[in-house]
Amino acid sequence: MSQSVDREPTRDEVDRMEGLVLLEFGASWCGHCQAAAPRRDALLDEHPEVTHVPVEDGPGRPLGRSFRVKLWPTFVFLRDGEVVCQVSRPDPDELREGFEALVNAG
């Protein structure tokens, strides 16, 4: 399920998120983000228990900096607000491994 947000969540809000969350940092114009989107969408379809929270990132954005985002897309897999794993500009196998780590954690 993809969550529509009108504003970027704060780090405190992210830390308090319950359940399985995929926090995705990127930009709508980013070619790497666009290339990863079909694979991400397919994995989200396979794992409806994961909530997708896209974050439009950019210079000086505090949430991205708090996760040390340097490349787009960066995917942060969270279980009850705790980081399970984080991957930047992943290949398809790395993205699948992130989902598997998330759903099998705990």
Side-chain angles (χ1 to χ4, degrees), residues 21-37:
V21 175
L22 172 59
L23 190 61
E24 178 183 354
F25 293 93
S28 58
W29 51 264
C30 168
H32 294 285
C33 302
Q34 294 166 2

Side-chain angles (χ1 to χ4, degrees), residues 18-79:
E18 295 182 0
L20 307 179
V21 175
L22 172 59
L23 190 61
E24 178 183 354
F25 293 93
S28 58
W29 51 264
C30 168
H32 294 285
C33 302
Q34 294 166 2
R39 185 72 179 138
R40 175 209 60 215
D41 290 346
L43 288 163
L44 285 166
D45 286 345
E46 289 178 33
H47 299 283
E49 70 277 24
V50 176
T51 300
H52 178 224
V53 180
V55 177
E56 187 80 11
D57 196 34
R61 292 280 179 88
L63 187 59
R65 304 305 66 82
S66 76
F67 283 99
R68 300 179 191 265
V69 172
K70 298 200 185 294
L71 295 172
W72 297 330
T74 292
F75 298 93
V76 182
F77 296 87
L78 301 136
R79 176 182 283 271

Side-chain angles (χ1 to χ4, degrees), residues 13-21 77-84 102 105-106:
E13 289 169 334
V14 169
D15 291 343
R16 289 185 282 116
M17 287 182 176
E18 295 182 0
L20 307 179
V21 175
F77 296 87
L78 301 136
R79 176 182 283 271
D80 296 326
E82 296 290 322
V83 176
V84 173
L102 179 62

